[in-house]
Every structure is written in structure tokens, then in C-alpha cells.
Amino acid sequence: MTTALINNAKQYVDNVFSKLQSKNAHQPEFLQAAEEIFLSLVPVFEQHPEYIKHNILERIVEPDRIVSFRVAWQDDNHDVQVNRGYRVQYNNVIGPYKGGLRFHPTVNESIMKFLAFEQIFKNALTGQPIGGGKGGSDFDPKGKSDAEIMRFCQAFMTELYRYVGPDVDVPAGDIGVGAREVGYLWGQYKRIRGAYESGVLTGKKPGYGGSLARTEATGYGLVYFVSEMLREANSTFLNKTVVVSGSGNVAIYAIEKAQHFGAKVVACSDSSGYIYDAEGIDLKIVKRLKEVEGKRISEYVTYRPNAVFTAGCEGIWTIPCDIALPCATQNEINGDQARTLIANGVKVVAEGANMPSNLEAINEFLDSGVLFGPAKAANAGGVAVSALEMAQNSSRTYWTFQEVDAKLHDIMKSIFNESSEAAKKYGYEGNLVVGSNIAGFVRVANGMLVEGVY
Ligand code: NDP
Ligand code: 2IT
């Protein structure tokens, strides 16, 4: 390769990134996600000048469109509340826009764009025909009654329905949005459209078009992915000590499958703090508190007196473990926390949440030889099974739990293999950050070359 090509590639990526920075100066999470991906792509542009010629990077980093809308709804006191709704439709080159909806007070355009941008490459990695998108609202579901959640979801869909559809854009869950919320959204969509377009949303309950194993998919998929990482290092989950952050959908099913594979999970958390149970977490208690009763994780210690609750989330990474699975939210591991994990002997870190490690933390893990599974590969099992739900809906059929779980397992293995192969091919053997970014990007970029549409 000539020096000119190498310089050209680096210069191209730097130029697109500096334009992005000046256009999006007030969107730190979006710039963080973009920077991580851009840094990985320099070797691709060195070997594929045609991507530069067609200006793929600048095209891919600008969303097709972003809609934002007013969501007005009535609370139980009959007062009208107003929230802001979003849908970012980022890229639909390989399939309809696809990605979850997040309801959390921290939601803003920067968070929506980082999630939607990551989703493009994650979805491409699954090998399924789905483009990238994300949406949500700054609505805070905490402390709301069931009737309030329903009215909010109905009001949200009363606007969103214009922009989505089974062949257009297919939302699902994310933080604060589970099967209950998807059900309310689906009911409203069906009412407005007057048609049974079940493929418009995934994560539905199995009684009306939902796929079996979608609830479990992200957490199980994460553990299947980590099993592949361990297998390559001649190891398994058996008798490993595991720390999982969060106690929501992803965390619960990651804990379930890790325990199933013989690991001892000693800690999990919510936004108020974390529990440490040296004898191993009793998942039945966590499920009851979180899935049924909607309680705080601190209540766990009333059922397990030997367990300890500590207020605040940061300390969870001071617990010594072999495997750390951040499954709560973005930027929950910084450089200091990464160094603490490493000093305490962590061997594997894999991301169930989206962008839980900041760039400094990722570099610490990679530099110290920790096996690191990046979010867009490690947590892709959720959206992969969402795509399987779309397939079942459009063929008007249902698959068994075992069928879906087996497909999920195969998909996670192939994401691991493709990411490893891409890392090797471009000179970064063992670096799954670079590998997954490249493998996802190349699939979409090739679609953009063929599509010939700007
Ligand atoms: P849930 O709403 O089910 O659970 C979220 C968990 O994370 C809760 O324990 C919550 O605590 C905690 N949490 C959320 N925000 C914060 C915060 N700002 N600080 C500390 N803790 C926080 O969401 P999911 O399990 O679905 O999502 C978790 C992560 O996984 C997110 O990053 C999401 O984007 C990602 N993900 C989800 C997929 C899915 O299929 N659901 C697929 C792929 C990725 P509390 O209850 O106190 O708020
Ligand atoms: O971040 C994610 O991949 C999800 N929240 C799941 C998206 C989906 O469409 O199933």
C-alpha cells in the first residue's frame, strides 16, 4: 500500500470527523460513538479507496431524518403533561429502519443519535435485513400508574404511527420500554391503521405476534457471545465469578444464562445502588422484585440477609470478578473504573448495555489484554431475535422457543466469527472493537455502493 493512500484515508476520516464535531458540538454521546467507529475504519479506507470516492462516511453519518414531536397526555389527576418524542431514522440500505424506543428522563437528541448510529452497524452484523434507527422520549416511567403508562404510550403512538410500518421502520423496547409498553403502542397503532400489521413493532407478547425468546434474547445472546470469547481462550463460564450491572431486561437474562452455564453471579444493580451476594445472586428474588413488583434492588437484602446493599452505582466495579457484564446504561465504566477492574483481575468485559464503557475504559481493557466484547456485537442478540419476530410475522407463523434460541445461538457465533475475521484481515487480530465496527460498516457500505442513491 502506498503512503499516499494511507495518508489519504486518515485525512479523509479526520476531515469528516472534524466537520461532524463542528455541526454537533453539543452532542457529546453522539460524537463519542462516532469517534469510536471512525477510529476503527481508517484501515478500511486504506484498502478501499472506492468508499472515499463515494464519500460513504459522510453519507452514513448523517441520519436520513430525525423526527421530534410533542406528546401530550393526561395524568391520573387529570392534569395534562407534555413530553418530547423522537424517532431517528438513520439508514435503511439493507432493510427497514429498526431499533428500540427508550423512555427515560435523560433522553435527548444526542442520546437518540448515538444509539441509532450504533444500531446501523449492530443490525448489519446480525446478517438480518434490517436498517438502523432509534427513538424514545424524555418521559419518566418511574412512579407512574399503569393507566398513565398506557395513556402516554397511546399519545406517543398517535404521533409516531405516521413514520413507522412493517416495511418502513420497526421499533421495539429499550430502557423503560418492555412488553407491556410495546403492547400499548401496538394496540394504538392497530386502532389507528385499522389493519393487522403485526410486524410494525417487535418485542410483542407471544399471544399477539411476539416471538418466543425475545424477552431472553439480549441477555442470553450476550452470554453466548462471551462463551465464544472464552472458548477461543480455552475457557468456559464454569465456576467463574461474574458481576452484572443493571437489573432490567438485559441484566436478568444475562444472569440467568450465566448461571445456567455454571458461573457464580455475585452482584447486580439499579440506578440507586448495587447488591453483593457472596453466595451467588438468587435470581428468583431479583425477578420478582423487578419484573413483578416494580421494586428497588435494595429490597433484595430483606430476603437474603447475608447480602449487602450499597447506595450509588459506581462501586459495583470495585468487586473482584473474572467477568464483568455492564448491562445498565451508557458511560457506566470510565478509565478509573476500568483500571480497578483490571487491578482486581478481570479477564473478560462484555457490553450488554449500549456504550457502557467510555473510550478511555475501552483502551485500558484492550491495552491490558482483557478480552473485550463491544456492545454492537455482544448485545446484538436482542435485535437479531426482533428480526426473527419480523420474519415470523410476515410469514404468519410461530417458531418454538428452542427454534428461536438455536437461531440466536448461531447468530451470536457468527457475529463473533465475522468480527474476529475482520479484525484479523485488517491487522488487528483479537481486537473485537475494530473487527465489529469494520464488519458492520463494510456490509452497509457495500449496499450503499450498489444502491447508487445518494
Ligand atoms: P431496562 O429498563 O429493562 O433496565 C435498565 C436497567 O439499568 C435498570 O436496572 C435501571 O435501573 C438501570 N439504569 C438505567 N438507566 C440508568 C442510569 N442512568 N444509571 C444507572 N442505572 C441505570 O432496560 P434494558 O435492560 O432493556 O436495557 C439496558 C441496556 O441494554 C441499555 O443500554 C439498552 O440500550 C441496552 N440494550 C437493550 C436491549 C433490549 O433488547 N432491551 C438490546 C440491546 C441493548 P432503574 O430501574 O433504577 O432505572
Ligand atoms: O439496542 C438495541 O439493540 C435494542 N434496544 C433492541 C432493538 C430492537 O429493535 O429489538
Side-chain angles (χ1 to χ4, degrees):
M1 189 157 337
T2 67
T3 318
L5 271 182
I6 294 173
N7 288 342
N8 199 16
K10 177 83 175 71
Q11 205 174 57
Y12 173 64
V13 172
D14 286 349
N15 282 347
V16 178
F17 191 66
S18 63
K19 269 202 223 171
L20 196 72
Q21 278 178 309
S22 56
K23 275 195 196 171
N24 301 276
H26 303 295
Q27 300 189 340
E29 294 85 1
F30 171 57
L31 290 175
Q32 181 185 338
E35 187 178 5
E36 187 231 278
I37 293 171
F38 279 31
L39 288 172
S40 299
L41 296 179
V42 174
V44 178
F45 291 109
E46 285 167 3
Q47 293 192 26
H48 292 278
E50 70 274 20
Y51 295 150
I52 301 181
K53 180 165 179 290
H54 290 270
N55 200 6
I56 298 289
L57 194 58
E58 198 169 355
R59 287 162 59 193
I60 212 170
V61 82
E62 187 67 21
D64 287 355
R65 67 195 62 79
I66 301 176
V67 289
S68 117
F69 46 90
R70 174 169 57 81
V71 186
W73 56 282
Q74 204 175 34
D75 68 19
D76 287 345
N77 295 322
H78 306 286
D79 291 329
V80 177
Q81 303 289 341
V82 178
N83 287 99
R84 183 172 293 171
Y86 295 95
R87 190 72 187 164
V88 178
Q89 298 183 329
Y90 226 116
N91 184 294
N92 68 351
V93 165
I94 60 177
Y97 306 106
K98 179 84 196 88
L101 296 171
R102 176 177 292 190
F103 293 169
H104 195 272
T106 55
V107 162
N108 58 34
E109 197 172 306
S110 172
I111 304 258
M112 292 285 96
K113 280 173 66 185
F114 113 65
L115 288 163
F117 188 54
E118 291 260 312
Q119 199 85 41
I120 303 171
F121 308 103
K122 181 197 304 193
N123 293 3
L125 271 175
T126 68
Q128 305 289 309
I130 41 179
K134 198 85 187 189
S137 173
D138 58 4
F139 172 75
D140 185 359
K142 279 206 188 72
K144 302 293 189 299
S145 71
D146 190 58
E148 287 176 324
I149 300 278
M150 181 183 77
R151 288 195 294 274
F152 176 80
C153 289
Q154 290 176 341
F156 185 87
M157 184 52 88
T158 301
E159 280 302 316
L160 187 70
Y161 88 95
R162 299 164 199 282
Y163 311 107
V164 296
D167 296 316
V168 180
D169 183 357
V170 181
D174 194 80
I175 292 177
V177 178
R180 172 181 64 162
E181 290 73 21
V182 168
Y184 292 143
L185 293 162
W186 157 240
Q188 185 70 350
Y189 180 85
K190 179 156 72 74
R191 207 171 282 130
I192 294 171
R193 297 285 297 155
Y196 202 92
E197 298 173 351
S198 54
V200 68
L201 285 160
T202 60
K204 301 178 294 293
K205 287 188 180 158
Y208 46 88
S211 177
L212 292 169
R214 175 62 186 87
T215 305
E216 293 82 358
T218 312
Y220 279 20
L222 172 66
V223 171
Y224 294 150
F225 189 86
V226 173
S227 297
E228 294 305 301
M229 297 170 72
L230 288 166
R231 198 176 46 77
E232 206 165 74
N234 294 316
S235 185
T236 69
F237 266 99
L238 191 64
N239 297 328
K240 296 291 187 302
T241 301
V242 180
V243 166
V244 177
S245 65
S247 51
N249 174 261
V250 179
I252 285 176
Y253 292 95
I255 296 173
E256 184 165 285
K257 189 50 81 177
Q259 290 181 338
H260 179 77
F261 284 169
K264 185 168 165 194
V265 183
V266 294
C268 69
S269 62
D270 64 17
S271 57
S272 44
Y274 65 94
I275 51 159
Y276 174 67
D277 189 337
E279 291 155 26
I281 299 258
D282 184 337
L283 191 60
K284 283 195 301 301
I285 300 174
V286 176
K287 280 190 177 182
R288 194 172 69 231
L289 290 172
K290 288 295 177 181
E291 293 187 329
V292 183
E293 298 171 354
K295 297 227 171 100
R296 308 308 298 157
I297 200 67
S298 53
E299 305 250 347
Y300 180 88
V301 299
T302 58
Y303 301 95
R304 297 270 288 183
N306 290 339
V308 181
F309 172 74
T310 307
C313 302
E314 314 75 36
I316 194 168
W317 307 120
T318 63
I319 300 171
C321 60
D322 302 307
I323 300 172
L325 303 176
C327 295
T329 193
Q330 63 276 353
N331 291 328
E332 46 170 321
I333 303 184
N334 61 23
D336 287 339
Q337 289 157 332
R339 283 184 284 275
T340 304
L341 278 163
I342 295 163
N344 286 335
V346 76
K347 301 287 181 306
V348 180
V349 176
E351 301 182 317
N354 286 307
M355 205 168 75
S357 320
N358 73 11
L359 275 173
E360 190 188 346
I362 295 175
N363 289 332
E364 288 289 345
F365 293 136
L366 293 175
D367 292 347
S368 63
V370 167
L371 301 179
F372 181 73
K376 67 176 68 61
N379 75 29
V383 77
V385 171
S386 278
L388 301 181
E389 184 168 326
M390 291 163 71
Q392 291 169 82
N393 292 158
S394 54
S395 55
R396 298 190 193 284
T397 188
Y398 281 111
W399 299 332
T400 64
F401 189 97
Q402 287 71 19
E403 279 175 284
V404 179
D405 190 35
K407 288 181 201 290
L408 168 65
H409 205 151
D410 285 347
I411 290 171
M412 298 315 295
K413 282 185 195 166
S414 90
I415 293 174
F416 175 79
N417 290 335
E418 274 193 38
S419 302
S420 301
E421 288 303 313
K424 207 182 291 175
K425 179 171 170 197
Y426 287 90
Y428 288 82
E429 186 162 357
N431 184 332
L432 295 172
V433 175
V434 169
S436 62
N437 283 333
I438 292 180
F441 173 82
V442 164
R443 188 163 276 154
V444 183
N446 287 343
M448 290 171 84
L449 288 181
V450 174
E451 202 185 35
V453 175
Y454 304 118

